Amino acid sequence: MQNSTGTKGKLVVVSGFSGAGKGTVMKAIIDTYDNYALSISATSRKPREGEEEGREYFFKTREEFEKMIADNMLVEYAEYVGNYYGTPREYVEQKLAEGKNVILEIEIQGAMKIKKQYPEALLIFMTPPSGEELIRRLKGRGTEDNATIMSRMRRAIEEAEGVGSYDYTLINDEVDKCAERLHNIVTDDTKTYNKDVDLINNIKAELAQIVEGE
């Protein structure tokens, strides 16, 4: 089934630094705008307290996940800290056929795999307005020690290298405004891509200066 205009939905990949606020913005766009579906990943890790099957993840045993890989049932997957994570193909293609704009919140490695299979996919990289703000958000969560925060900052420096492969840089300064900008990008058919490489390079330099000073 397709939407009322008979068109398929768009596939939108959202990546970003840890602390960029991706999850909060995804919730805002789903709550505010119609015609979106947030892809649910499959994982081989066990559910954490409060997580539900089909809401946070599709929970699989390791054997089940490896069968999904063998049967080409995933559009991308990766192994992280001993567990598999991946995007089920059936869910994505079903929602696209229904005319939904499907958002995948995944890392750069997975995003590049998606782009190979779906060249028309929009790749969006979300970032805070500055390195200082990124650090403030990471520390403000209060859930991680300084060593973990430093590790995330080093990871962000590495991720900054891949931003040039994305179509858009999306600044998350205020959640509602960011969700609105994301919606406008998805619904704009003019293909006026915006890569704010200078901003990303500035953030990378800020983070590198702090990491080197430790």
Side-chain angles (χ1 to χ4, degrees), residues 74-187:
L74 300 163
V75 292
E76 60 82 28
Y77 71 92
E79 190 170 8
Y80 180 73
V81 197
N83 291 303
Y84 286 119
Y85 295 83
T87 303
R89 185 181 304 279
E90 183 180 12
Y91 180 89
V92 170
E93 296 190 345
Q94 176 189 333
K95 293 300 179 184
L96 288 173
E98 290 174 3
K100 296 280 189 183
N101 297 315
V102 179
I103 299 179
L104 309 183
E105 184 191 327
I106 53 180
E107 293 189 0
I108 289 178
Q109 181 185 4
M112 296 304 104
K113 292 178 182 178
I114 293 290
K115 193 67 172 178
K116 283 183 179 179
Q117 295 184 65
Y118 301 90
E120 73 284 0
L122 288 175
L123 268 57
I124 298 171
F125 194 89
M126 188 182 298
T127 176
S130 67
E132 182 181 351
E133 174 62 13
L134 178 62
I135 296 162
R136 189 192 69 77
R137 291 182 190 180
L138 286 171
K139 291 182 176 179
R141 295 195 293 202
T143 56
E144 297 166 338
D145 59 21
N146 190 60
T148 303
I149 291 171
M150 292 300 294
S151 175
R152 292 197 183 280
M153 288 168 59
R154 291 188 188 94
R155 173 67 176 158
I157 293 169
E158 294 174 5
E159 289 173 332
E161 297 290 340
V163 174
S165 299
Y166 283 71
D167 301 315
Y168 296 88
T169 302
L170 180 63
I171 299 172
N172 181 17
D173 43 5
E174 296 180 36
V175 170
D176 290 343
K177 288 182 179 179
C178 185
E180 182 180 1
R181 286 194 290 269
L182 177 56
H183 174 67
N184 290 339
I185 289 169
V186 174
T187 54

Side-chain angles (χ1 to χ4, degrees), residues 10-70:
K10 292 181 180 179
L11 186 59
V12 184
V13 175
V14 176
S15 307
F17 302 128
S18 177
K22 299 182 294 296
T24 307
V25 173
M26 296 306 98
K27 184 178 187 307
I29 199 166
I30 294 293
D31 290 346
T32 306
Y33 300 98
D34 294 330
N35 213 40
Y36 285 91
L38 184 60
S39 176
I40 302 168
S41 296
T43 182
S44 64
R45 78 159 171 79
K46 297 191 182 307
R48 294 173 183 152
E49 186 175 351
E51 290 182 334
E52 292 183 12
E53 167 71 15
R55 188 180 68 184
E56 282 79 15
Y57 288 98
F58 296 115
F59 294 100
K60 306 293 181 182
T61 64
R62 191 170 183 84
E63 292 73 21
E64 288 172 336
F65 201 106
E66 289 175 346
K67 187 173 190 309
M68 292 178 75
I69 295 171

